Amino acid sequence: MFNKTTLEITQLRGRLAKEVLKSRHAEDRIRLLEERLRKNEERSNALFNAASDAIMLIDPESACFINFNTKAHSNLGYSKEEFKKLELADIDIVWNKKEIYLLFAEILQDGHRSFETRHRAKDDRAYNMLINATRISLKGRDIIQYICTDITSHNQTKDELEDSKGKYRDLFHNSLVGLSRTRANDGKLLEANDRLASMFGYKDRQQMLDEFYAPSAYEHQRDREHMIQTIIKDGEIQDYEVFARRKDGSNIWVRYSAKLYPDQGYLDVVVVDITNEKNAEKEKEYLYTKLAQSQKMEAIGRLSAGIAHDFNNLLTVIKTMTYKSKKDADQRSPLHRYLSLIDTATEGAKNLTQKLLIFSKKQTTTFVTIDVNKLISNLKEILQNLVGSKIRIELVLSGDLLDIYGDRGSFEQAIINIAINARDAMPDGGLLKIKTENTITDGAKTFNMILVTITDNGIGMDKEISRRIFEPFFTTKPQGESTGLGASVVYGIVKDHKGNIEIESTLNVGTSIKLLFPPAPKRSTLTGKLLVSNNIDLSGMGEHILLVEDNALIRETTSLLLSENNYLVTVTNSAEHALELFRKDPETFDFLLSDVALPGKNGVELAGLILLVRPDLPILLSSTYTSNKLQWEEIRDKGLAFIRKPYDSTDLLCKIRKDLQVKVSLR
């Protein structure tokens, strides 16, 4: 039994030793595990505090901070000790304490929640924060972990981006130019502003986005093809002008600029409406053309006037010598007949120079009583030559037509201008009808106006053209074919004669122009050619005439004419020499016959100076025309007598004799 007990004790001791050994081994294991745990905790704390975001562990029951990392308090400007005394409601601007508890309840239930809020720093600055809140377990209880990311700068950038986008949208939609974005592969319109929609005739941008078809926006497809090829080659196109087509088919001029963004697959396009600019350029070019045409016509007019002037001087010599030769020849002789033929031809040449002066607008305005019917009848042959054989001219002239008081050349010019316009309106021929009649206007009881109606059955005009027809430079003819002055000249002539002009026109029917003139006042008729009785003696009575003429041939032939008609003649070629002769003995001269156009002082100035000394001296001025309108008005205002070259010798002698007789009767 003792041995058994001893064995048991020995075994017990062995087991005890083993247990002691196990215990020591367990302690070592525990110490090792504790060391590992400590190191893990240190590592976790290091990571916890080294995190770039603020991390907070919060008690969901009190909303106080259980733990937090360095970023949590340093980002908000607190020390660790200061932050320990705070709770979440002290730093959260958005959520109050009651709302925080409700939020925590949702997080504990759902396990996670992300949201944005704002945290207040110690210095009262606010920061935008993105919160990732998670339910975690710590020492057997659920707590809330906040991971807080500062998104203040991100939100600021986001706000700035949104603001920039808003400004871009405003700029895009309110721009004064058309803007669009177009898909590169097929030209599909992806975006457009209202200005572009209005430009192309759509009611708004949405209608344009729905209905716009790129190829139809080009009047010429070669423009579109050129744009596409240029953009493919260069990636852009700048300031390319296109004659575009609007939704309703009308046209506008636009200037395209576009840039390709190949990675995005679209084009950004800027479109500027340059229709007004193009129209202005066209109008400018048109006005330049009109100016050039007007200058050319003015140059031709001056040339024509110069030719007419020189030719009239020659005709004056021919007519004077023909008159003298006819007077000396036997009326029954062949010579007298030959001279009569020369005289007739000279009269025709005179009429031709009158037409040149009318064309050049250099014709002297001389108001006389005009037999309108006779004037139109005499003009018919000229008109027929102007309008051509395909147009028939019909005259319907009133038998009792009143005379008008006006300028013969201007009246002829008005009729000719209207006839030319009628000819152009009847390219295939037609009828040109000229009708005269007395008429009553403004409620008068008797005839108070003479009406001349000129009608054609040509292409006619619409109301807009009829309204503008009398505007200077306005024309419906192709560029370069007309000055646009013909109708405006007619208007000016009619107004100068205190008349009115009316126009009635219908497309494809014809045009009727009515010229209304007041009748001539009751006075002795002067038709431009004095009617002299064969019984009146045109010879002088030895009177002394001072003849001032710079043309040597006219000076010689006129001197011969006057001398042979019993006048004493002193001749000179300038006003200055004439004044010198006159001042030597003012009483020696009985009459002054002077050309208007002289070298140095002109004939009007000469007459004025002589009249200061001899107010009673009869004066007769002559010229082919007076180029200065004010000069002609001065002639009329001073009551100076005037005879137009080439004058008939009979007319000249009659005027001299008449003026000398008036002088005698006044003594």
Side-chain angles (χ1 to χ4, degrees), residues 15 34 37 69 119 201 223 253 403 412 490 547 553 571 628:
R15 285 196 297 271
E34 287 176 347
L37 179 61
N69 67 354
H119 284 176
D223 288 332
W253 276 99
D403 292 335
E412 289 176 342
V490 173
L547 172 61
L553 285 175
V571 297
N628 190 324

Side-chain angles (χ1 to χ4, degrees), residues 170-182:
D170 290 342
L171 180 64
F172 182 86
H173 290 295
N174 298 323
S175 175
L176 297 178
V177 299
L179 301 173
S180 70
R181 177 164 289 176
T182 304

Side-chain angles (χ1 to χ4, degrees), residues 313-509:
N313 284 339
L314 295 173
L315 290 176
T316 301
V317 174
I318 295 171
K319 287 175 71 66
T320 301
M321 297 313 296
T322 302
Y323 171 82
K324 181 179 178 302
S325 300
K326 282 176 67 178
K327 189 176 180 182
D328 295 339
D330 186 346
Q331 292 188 2
R332 294 170 295 180
S333 67
L335 178 60
H336 190 278
R337 180 170 176 271
Y338 300 155
L339 292 170
S340 295
L341 291 173
I342 294 174
D343 199 25
T344 302
T346 306
E347 192 66 27
K350 174 184 174 182
N351 291 334
L352 178 60
T353 59
Q354 293 295 97
K355 301 302 177 291
L356 285 174
L357 289 172
I358 289 172
F359 169 76
S360 66
K361 301 178 179 63
K362 297 293 186 180
Q363 177 74 316
T364 305
T365 305
T366 305
F367 276 67
V368 296
T369 301
I370 299 174
D371 182 337
V372 176
N373 284 347
K374 184 176 180 180
L375 184 146
I376 293 174
S377 297
N378 292 337
L379 204 58
K380 183 179 180 181
E381 183 178 352
I382 296 173
L383 294 177
Q384 191 66 69
N385 290 332
L386 282 173
V387 301
S389 58
K390 292 192 294 183
I391 296 175
R392 182 169 62 89
I393 297 178
E394 178 183 339
L395 302 183
V396 182
L397 308 178
S398 173
D400 58 350
L401 191 70
L402 299 172
D403 292 335
I404 70 169
Y405 187 65
D407 178 70
R408 184 186 305 278
S410 297
F411 191 90
E412 289 176 342
Q413 182 177 353
I415 301 296
I416 288 171
N417 285 3
I418 295 172
I420 290 173
N421 285 341
R423 176 200 64 190
D424 295 338
M426 298 183 287
D428 299 324
L431 173 65
L432 178 63
K433 183 178 179 181
I434 303 177
K435 180 181 180 181
T436 63
E437 58 185 312
N438 298 318
T439 188
I440 298 174
T441 61
D442 300 327
K445 295 181 179 180
T446 59
F447 294 124
N448 66 336
M449 295 294 279
I450 292 88
L451 173 62
V452 180
T453 306
I454 305 172
T455 305
D456 67 67
N457 57 354
I459 58 176
M461 297 174 282
D462 59 29
K463 290 183 178 179
E464 177 61 19
I465 294 176
S466 297
R467 185 181 65 82
R468 300 186 59 194
I469 195 66
F470 298 116
E471 293 179 10
F473 299 108
F474 178 79
T475 180
T476 59
K477 296 173 185 176
Q479 186 172 342
E481 292 188 12
S482 171
T483 62
L485 294 172
S488 63
V489 168
V490 173
Y491 182 86
I493 290 171
V494 173
K495 291 302 178 182
D496 284 346
H497 287 70
K498 303 187 185 319
N500 290 314
I501 185 167
E502 299 173 0
I503 183 168
E504 296 176 1
S505 187
T506 305
L507 281 174
N508 302 317
V509 175

Side-chain angles (χ1 to χ4, degrees), residues 44-55 69-72 75 147:
S44 296
N45 285 333
L47 292 173
F48 183 69
N49 287 311
S52 60
D53 293 328
I55 302 174
N69 67 354
T70 303
K71 290 287 185 181
N75 283 354
I147 299 178

